Amino acid sequence: MSTFDSVYEMFNPLTDVRKQHFWDWFSGGALDSKRWTYLNITGAGSGAMSDSVNGGYAITTSGGAVRESNISFNNVREYSHTGCVSIWVAQATATSGQDTHLGFSDDATSPSYTSSDNQANWEIDSGTQYLLTSDGSSASRTALTSATAMGSAFRVGKVECGSANIKLTIDGVLEVTKTTNRPSTALQPKFSVYGMTKTGSVRYCEAYNT
């Protein structure tokens, strides 16, 4: 019978360097502060675990004006812009006045639609879904090819950054393949909510280098 010095050796030869792989189920009583950092970009929003079954983590923006809050890796950029994937199970129920972004960004401190950032995001803008990308100087977005509406349910979004394009898959269906305004630097996972007293929720995130 074979024996191994580590779990890694059970499935991989030691000559293979394991690539960065992260996941979070957003369960328990509080956000994992060893990884995630909550930040109010404008206003005084709030972030907390939802007091409901499988409710995940919810961000609610403050009122009085249009506001934005997010969670990120606090600018620890572990993912390659030419070979990484993020998968999110998320909910954004507002049909007007809410813009939610889930994916990758190089900057945690700026608003989510900033052309000077490098980013690749599943964007939910008042219920309509897009793939938003930015290369550090210009930003653009492409709507889903199907009539898939966000609705009020949790949906699964996958953002995949490659060397030639960026892909957005919703609920297992490839919706957008985009070749323009692709990010050009290392990235971090980021979830942001924009709007006045709007709430977005996420109950799963996975990110890895390919």
Side-chain angles (χ1 to χ4, degrees):
M1 184 177 69
S2 299
T3 59
F4 303 93
D5 292 329
S6 68
V7 173
Y8 183 78
E9 291 176 73
M10 294 172 62
F11 304 101
N12 306 273
L14 287 179
T15 53
D16 290 352
V17 178
R18 187 175 186 181
K19 296 180 179 180
Q20 194 69 253
H21 199 151
F22 162 83
W23 57 89
D24 192 338
W25 290 98
F26 294 98
S27 60
L31 186 70
D32 179 6
S33 60
K34 294 180 180 178
R35 177 66 74 176
W36 296 104
T37 297
Y38 174 87
L39 182 65
N40 290 318
I41 303 299
T42 56
S46 62
M49 291 296 178
S50 176
D51 186 18
S52 61
V53 177
N54 292 326
Y57 181 82
I59 291 177
T60 301
T61 57
S62 57
V66 176
R67 307 297 193 185
E68 182 169 353
S69 302
N70 70 46
I71 58 171
S72 73
F73 281 10
N74 198 27
N75 291 339
V76 177
R77 306 174 187 93
E78 302 174 323
Y79 299 93
S80 168
H81 62 287
T82 58
C84 64
V85 172
S86 68
I87 300 171
W88 304 80
V89 180
Q91 178 189 53
T93 58
T95 57
S96 64
Q98 179 172 346
D99 199 352
T100 298
H101 290 180
L102 305 109
F104 290 112
S105 175
D106 70 338
D107 191 351
T109 62
S110 61
S112 53
Y113 203 110
T114 302
S115 58
S116 60
D117 288 354
N118 288 270
Q119 57 184 314
N121 285 318
W122 170 27
E123 180 185 13
I124 308 160
D125 185 352
S126 299
T128 302
Q129 301 175 79
Y130 303 86
L131 174 57
L132 168 68
T133 65
S134 179
D135 57 16
S137 61
S138 298
S140 60
R141 67 183 188 176
T142 303
L144 269 60
T145 54
S146 75
T148 303
M150 183 63 191
S152 60
F154 277 90
R155 293 191 175 275
V156 181
K158 177 183 178 182
V159 178
E160 183 174 2
C161 299
S163 58
N165 55 47
I166 299 174
K167 298 177 181 179
L168 173 63
T169 299
I170 303 296
D171 293 340
V173 178
L174 177 61
E175 295 280 3
V176 182
T177 299
K178 196 169 184 287
T179 60
T180 56
N181 303 126
R182 291 182 289 115
S184 57
T185 189
L187 302 165
Q188 65 188 316
K190 181 180 174 182
F191 161 48
S192 66
V193 179
Y194 173 91
M196 184 173 64
T197 60
K198 302 299 180 183
T199 299
S201 302
V202 59
R203 64 186 184 197
Y204 179 76
C205 172
E206 181 177 358
Y208 56 91
N209 284 314
T210 58

